[in-house]
Amino acid sequence: MILSGPWKLQHFEVGEKPPLELAAPGLDDRFWVETHVPSDVHSTLLARGLIDSPYYGHNDAKCRWIERKEWWYRTTFELEALPGETERIELVFEGLDTYASVFVS
């Protein structure tokens, strides 16, 4: 199963929301930014016109706020079949940043 999209992205102040609240299946994420994976926060914000290119002039200084936020990606999926008692499901993430937590519910 490929989980390449659609995904949603949103930022919060560090510690503003409890992780299990943000990972809850019923969370209202209508106002989150649509994105895809693999990707990164800067690329998504740039593609949506929410920031100026951080690689031009002094725009990197205007984008420093991004580093001070906690960023969350969300998606939903359904298993095609439940694993048997002796089977397991392995999630492979290619490109997670230095610190990441993954919640599946």
Side-chain angles (χ1 to χ4, degrees):
M1 175 184 329
I2 305 294
L3 300 178
S4 60
W7 286 73
K8 293 189 175 187
L9 174 70
Q10 185 58 275
H11 71 276
F12 297 92
E13 296 298 328
V14 175
E16 176 184 347
K17 301 270 187 181
L20 292 179
E21 178 183 327
L22 294 172
L27 180 75
D28 181 3
D29 60 8
R30 289 177 293 165
F31 301 107
W32 290 39
V33 176
E34 290 186 18
T35 190
H36 65 278
V37 296
S39 185
D40 61 84
V41 172
H42 286 84
S43 296
T44 296
L45 297 177
L46 186 59
R48 298 282 181 218
L50 299 172
I51 62 170
D52 294 326
S53 175
Y55 308 111
Y56 181 79
H58 295 289
N59 289 343
D60 61 321
K62 294 193 300 186
C63 294
R64 288 197 183 126
W65 65 272
I66 297 167
E67 300 168 14
R68 294 187 290 269
K69 302 293 182 182
E70 187 174 274
W71 291 90
W72 283 78
Y73 285 84
R74 288 180 56 88
T75 193
T76 58
F77 64 93
E78 291 188 27
L79 290 177
E80 296 165 2
L82 292 176
E85 273 189 42
T86 59
E87 295 178 307
R88 67 179 190 175
I89 296 174
E90 183 174 302
L91 292 174
V92 177
F93 294 92
E94 298 176 2
L96 286 180
D97 205 345
T98 308
Y99 297 102
S101 298
V102 177
F103 296 85
V104 179
S105 58

